[in-house]
Amino acid sequence: MAAIKLKELSKKPDLLTGGHRMCAGCGAPIVVRQVLMAIDEPVIISNATGCLEVATTIYPYTAWKLPWIHSAFENAAATISGVEAMYQSLKRQGKIPADQKIKFLAFGGDGGTYDIGLQALSGALERGHDFMYVCYDNGAYMNTGIQRSSATPFGADTTTSPAGKVLQGKTQKRKDLTRIALAHGVPFVAQASPHNWKDLITKVQKAMSIEGPKFMNIIAPCNRGWRTQTNDAIALSKLAVDTCFWPLYEVVNGVATVTYNPKKNRRPIVEWLKPQGRFKHLFKPENEWMLAKFQELVDENWRSVVGMHNASHPGETIDPEEGKSW
Amino acid sequence: MKKVAMTGNVAVANAMRQINPDVCAAYPITPSTEIMQQFSTFVANGQVDTELVTVESEHSAMSACIGAAAAGGRVMNATSANGLALMWEMLYIAAGNRLPIVLSCVNRALSAPINIHCDHSDSMGARDSGWVQIYAENAQEAYDNTIQAVRIGEHPDIHLPVMSCMDGFIISHSIENLDLLDDQQVRDFVGPYNGTAYPLLDVANPVTYGALHLQDYYIESRRQLHEAHKRAKNVVIEVGREYGKLSGRSYGLFETYKMDDAEIGLIALNSAAGTAKVVVDEFRAKGIKAGLLKPRLFRPFPYLEIADALKGLKALCVLDRADSFGAAGGPLFIEVRSALYDLQKRPVTINKIFGLGGRDLGLDDLRKVFEELTTIVDKGPKSLYEYITVRE
């Protein structure tokens, strides 16, 4: 794998073109562009219903300069399975050239992946298609107007888990989809964040060098749903990582590696929660316990991810308490 | 051509082997399971070039078929009942994207109560999805229709998915003597695949499938599907005629049995037509001018031709193996009755809903229907539609 140079990346064509009609400040197109930048071969995309699909393909326009298919919400993985199966079949039959290399990607939001698309994702991972599924996780059904999903963080105020007089936002914790994908025994699973483009692109390049099913979960801030500013997607993704809410790690052929340890940059979770309007109610005095619980959930998850890393790298262990200076 | 004894399912699986599709997606459901099970053996033994995708649900089966067809190759699949119901969303999307997938629908009752036996509630519910639907009386027709379905769907005039239906268990699991074409004859008849105008795998010419069509374009897209269905009728006739030259068995829009001078008639889909023919013969032997019309093509519904074929009747009963709850009769009845509306002189027309969940339709049941038809010309019908083969 060649070293990643920003200058070289900037020369690559935009396969998701400008004027794609996603909201100003949306994290999803940044994620998509970084993923596509990392791939040299031709790419075919299957896109689940959601913001990314709806905004980018308003007929008679399309923002995609590559072959792209959307069929429904819950089936991006099943749809790309069919595309990949046809590629394998035609290649085996000599109907397309043997040296024609194509990479197959599926993109879905957290609603289309953690929830309604989980079965199709699981099936495609288990069958072993040569593809990568990328979930851009913005933590709710943003396209339909900010409804809670199983990726929505604990306590978040959404239109179906509103903070009211009795209930204070989402009562449940998040589902750990990355670990569910990992449980399929696939050769590559990773979490990434668009603020750390070098890490994200390295992971995609590594994934593309591996044959078989791959899964990446990438945080994608949504200023509409998170009730934040349009210019803070990158700052908030960085904070998500530095608070250990969104650990950057990969598991390649069973070897788990934390690819970024915040160390002295580590921040308490309140610093990520505070700028987001969806967590405003957590800062009421009577909800102090929720902030404490949120921090506990984050710490528990970080310890667990670090535990996987330490088991894989007994010589280079990480102390999960490191950097916790508050 | 060789005479062989096989079940309807095995006949369809063999048609698929001879067609040699590029991709199949398989998910088991009674009574269609045996088709993909048999076909899996053909894959395992290298008798076909097919990439078999053993999906985790029927929804994913149709989704994978859509992806595969859009990628640019021939795609087939089979299902029944709740499996078809789970595909529902994707049936519309396959048609809307004009992907000529061939689906073998082995007709079975929908739940609840759960039941594994034949009726037409599954495919009848899918009648507005944009798929071409063809029905088969027996295993021979199911085999012949499967092969023709490929040519019909991929025809450049239409590019539509095709559902080829046969009765669950009654046909799918009964052994019948039938003629199989030679493998080469089938391969020559279906020809190379040319059914996807803009394949995704043509990476040099990228296309977008499944774009959002709002108020400014959606209706035009649906109109194109509407127009394709108008053209489908002639495609079905043309393919049926060509298949006749090859096999000696010609197919059209429907089959008429002793209808030329008939005064009372029945309309029945699929295997019930076989039972009806026996009863028509009995009534003919008694000097009563009885006849039968067996629709083959249900979507598009050839309403002008069917009305023309029925215009000489005095009384008619439409047999429906599905209910359209709360409607003025079963789905076939509604279509036929509407088709008759423009005739100068219409037969008295009644509807019997029968055989739901595999309840047997006996000769006696149809004798009673014909006897009723002989009386209602003068007296008028006692009820427009009702259930038969049912405990009262």
Side-chain angles (χ1 to χ4, degrees):
Chain A
M1 235 175 299
I4 298 157
K5 293 198 179 96
L6 199 53
K7 203 174 162 185
E8 293 304 313
L9 289 176
S10 68
K11 287 180 194 160
K12 296 196 96 174
D14 273 340
L15 295 171
L16 172 60
T17 193
H20 50 58
R21 304 208 229 189
M22 299 288 277
C23 297
C26 172
I30 307 172
V31 165
V32 171
R33 283 176 161 181
Q34 289 187 13
V35 169
L36 292 176
M37 249 177 214
I39 308 174
D40 293 324
E41 295 86 352
V43 173
I44 300 180
I45 288 176
S46 152
N47 205 150
T49 308
C51 294
L52 180 64
E53 164 269 324
V54 164
T56 58
T57 60
I58 304 175
Y59 190 84
Y61 302 102
T62 179
W64 299 92
K65 293 182 169 181
L66 43 69
W68 182 96
I69 181 168
H70 155 253
S71 70
F73 193 8
E74 65 278 54
N75 63 355
T79 305
I80 202 71
S81 297
V83 180
E84 190 262 359
M86 185 56 77
Y87 166 75
Q88 301 294 356
S89 177
L90 297 186
K91 208 166 172 179
R92 198 176 54 235
Q93 295 178 63
K95 291 179 184 174
I96 53 174
D99 59 352
Q100 171 75 72
K101 286 195 169 59
I102 300 176
K103 297 296 181 190
F104 299 91
L105 296 184
F107 279 102
D110 49 284
T113 310
Y114 284 68
D115 289 350
I116 199 168
L118 182 64
Q119 176 184 312
L121 171 64
S122 175
L125 293 178
E126 182 272 332
R127 289 190 299 273
H129 296 276
D130 186 20
F131 83 115
M132 181 161 80
Y133 194 106
V134 179
C135 175
Y136 66 97
D137 182 347
N138 53 26
Y141 291 86
M142 302 309 185
N143 189 43
T144 43
I146 320 164
Q147 290 79 35
R148 63 86 84 188
S149 77
S150 59
T152 301
F154 168 73
D157 171 85
T158 72
T159 56
T160 52
S161 63
K165 286 180 180 156
V166 178
L167 297 174
Q168 297 298 308
K170 192 184 172 192
T171 52
Q172 304 86 356
K173 63 177 182 178
R174 303 176 70 245
K175 179 194 279 182
D176 190 344
L177 181 65
T178 311
R179 232 82 73 83
I180 292 170
L182 179 61
H184 289 78
V186 294
F188 184 93
V189 163
Q191 283 197 172
S193 162
H195 84 278
N196 194 339
W197 53 269
K198 213 165 193 169
D199 177 74
L200 190 155
I201 288 172
T202 306
K203 282 171 178 160
V204 176
Q205 287 183 341
K206 196 177 283 181
M208 290 302 113
S209 71
I210 298 169
E211 206 171 307
K214 281 106 28 194
F215 176 80
M216 278 185 81
N217 204 354
I218 307 181
I219 194 167
C222 164
N223 56 67
R224 299 287 302 120
W226 293 16
R227 316 240 172 105
T228 54
Q229 303 304 307
T230 52
N231 61 353
D232 55 13
I234 296 304
L236 283 174
S237 4
K238 184 172 189 312
L239 263 177
V241 173
D242 282 336
T243 54
C244 298
F245 171 80
W246 194 262
L248 300 186
Y249 71 100
E250 64 186 23
V251 184
V252 184
N253 293 316
V255 178
T257 307
V258 168
T259 56
Y260 171 79
N261 177 4
K263 294 182 184 170
K264 65 179 185 340
N265 293 329
R266 191 160 171 188
R267 295 285 174 269
I269 194 63
V270 288
E271 290 191 22
W272 184 65
L273 302 177
K274 190 84 187 173
Q276 301 184 48
R278 62 176 172 160
F279 297 118
K280 199 171 137 195
H281 56 290
L282 303 192
F283 292 87
K284 288 180 185 168
E286 65 270 29
N287 287 337
E288 210 181 328
W289 67 274
M290 293 183 77
L291 291 175
K293 182 170 177 187
F294 205 122
Q295 184 68 59
E296 271 171 39
L297 289 171
V298 167
D299 290 349
E300 187 188 339
N301 183 50
W302 176 243
R303 278 195 296 271
S304 169
V305 170
V306 164
M308 286 199 295
H309 170 98
N310 290 349
S312 290
H313 303 277
E316 301 163 60
T317 56
I318 294 172
D319 171 11
E321 302 308 311
E322 187 180 358
K324 233 181 153 184
S325 56
W326 61 90
Chain B
M1 213 176 299
K2 55 187 173 196
K3 208 79 170 169
V4 289
M6 50 178 63
T7 65
N9 275 344
V10 175
V12 169
N14 271 283
M16 289 173 67
R17 176 183 57 74
Q18 295 177 313
I19 291 161
N20 191 19
D22 299 304
V23 169
C24 282
Y27 191 80
I29 183 166
T30 306
S32 72
T33 310
E34 195 185 10
I35 294 177
M36 294 313 291
Q37 195 172 295
Q38 183 76 41
F39 190 76
S40 301
T41 311
F42 299 144
V43 173
N45 292 333
Q47 290 166 276
V48 287
D49 299 310
T50 310
E51 186 77 15
L52 182 67
V53 188
T54 45
V55 282
E56 81 296 336
S57 73
E58 287 92 352
H59 191 282
S60 283
M62 189 46 65
S63 302
C65 285
I66 287 167
R74 190 168 277 149
V75 178
M76 299 182 82
N77 186 16
T79 197
S80 295
N82 299 44
L84 189 69
L86 188 55
M87 284 183 188
W88 229 258
E89 178 190 26
M90 303 318 296
L91 293 176
Y92 282 76
I93 292 166
N97 281 305
R98 307 291 294 277
L99 299 169
I101 298 158
V102 171
L103 173 73
S104 185
C105 175
V106 183
N107 289 113
R108 163 185 153 181
L110 284 171
S111 307
I114 190 169
N115 172 286
I116 56 167
H117 291 281
C118 177
D119 72 34
H120 302 159
S121 52
D122 50 6
S123 59
M124 280 300 156
R127 67 191 187 271
D128 296 336
S129 61
W131 285 58
V132 172
Q133 286 191 340
I134 327 175
Y135 288 77
E137 181 183 333
N138 49 41
Q140 179 73 67
E141 290 188 8
Y143 168 83
D144 292 339
N145 283 349
T146 305
I147 296 166
Q148 291 171 71
V150 171
R151 282 281 305 276
I152 293 165
E154 292 172 18
H155 196 287
D157 285 357
I158 62 172
H159 279 185
L160 287 172
V162 183
M163 196 177 294
S164 174
C165 307
M166 69 169 152
D167 280 351
F169 286 108
I170 300 166
I171 301 304
S172 67
H173 285 62
S174 300
I175 293 177
E176 195 181 301
N177 281 324
L178 64 150
D179 288 320
L180 290 194
L181 296 173
D182 295 334
D183 293 357
Q184 196 54 48
Q185 284 181 302
V186 175
R187 289 192 188 189
D188 291 345
F189 183 78
V190 296
Y193 181 75
N194 195 23
T196 307
Y198 304 102
L200 284 171
L201 289 173
D202 181 6
V203 289
N205 297 291
V207 285
T208 289
Y209 270 88
L212 172 71
H213 287 51
L214 294 170
Q215 300 94 319
D216 50 354
Y217 282 102
Y218 179 85
I219 194 169
E220 279 77 17
S221 175
R222 301 313 274 179
R223 170 71 182 280
Q224 287 179 343
L225 188 54
H226 174 90
E227 296 297 329
H229 267 268
K230 279 191 189 167
R231 297 189 293 269
K233 193 175 71 184
N234 286 338
V235 170
V236 171
I237 293 169
E238 182 190 317
V239 172
R241 197 178 290 142
E242 199 186 319
Y243 190 79
K245 282 184 197 151
L246 175 69
S247 65
R249 295 181 298 278
S250 285
Y251 286 86
L253 305 172
F254 49 80
E255 181 194 335
T256 51
Y257 186 74
K258 304 195 176 173
M259 281 294 285
D260 286 349
D261 62 341
E263 292 178 351
I264 58 171
L266 289 182
I267 296 189
L269 283 168
N270 279 8
S271 66
T275 313
K277 284 173 185 171
V278 176
V279 183
V280 166
D281 289 346
E282 283 181 15
F283 276 70
R284 284 276 171 179
K286 291 194 272 186
I288 296 164
K289 291 178 176 172
L292 166 80
L293 187 146
K294 178 186 78 182
R296 175 177 182 244
L297 183 66
F298 185 74
R299 278 291 180 270
F301 192 71
Y303 57 96
L304 292 174
E305 292 81 356
I306 284 185
D308 191 57
L310 300 173
K311 67 175 189 281
L313 291 177
K314 289 179 178 164
L316 166 70
C317 176
V318 181
L319 296 168
D320 262 294
R321 204 165 201 148
D323 199 349
S324 176
F325 301 102
L332 183 58
F333 178 65
I334 295 168
E335 298 285 346
V336 171
R337 202 160 173 242
S338 166
L340 296 174
Y341 185 81
D342 290 322
L343 289 180
Q344 291 293 322
K345 198 170 156 283
R346 292 186 291 266
V348 179
T349 306
I350 56 170
N351 182 209
K352 305 291 183 197
I353 292 166
F354 75 100
L356 303 189
R359 178 65 54 84
D360 205 18
L361 176 74
L363 297 172
D364 258 347
D365 299 312
L366 291 183
R367 285 179 193 127
K368 280 182 204 152
V369 171
F370 267 128
E371 274 155 21
E372 186 183 344
L373 287 178
T374 59
T375 66
I376 63 171
V377 178
D378 300 323
K379 290 189 205 161
K382 65 179 184 349
S383 67
L384 185 63
Y385 62 94
E386 63 178 3
Y387 274 51
I388 58 168
T389 68
V390 66
R391 275 188 204 91
E392 293 296 346

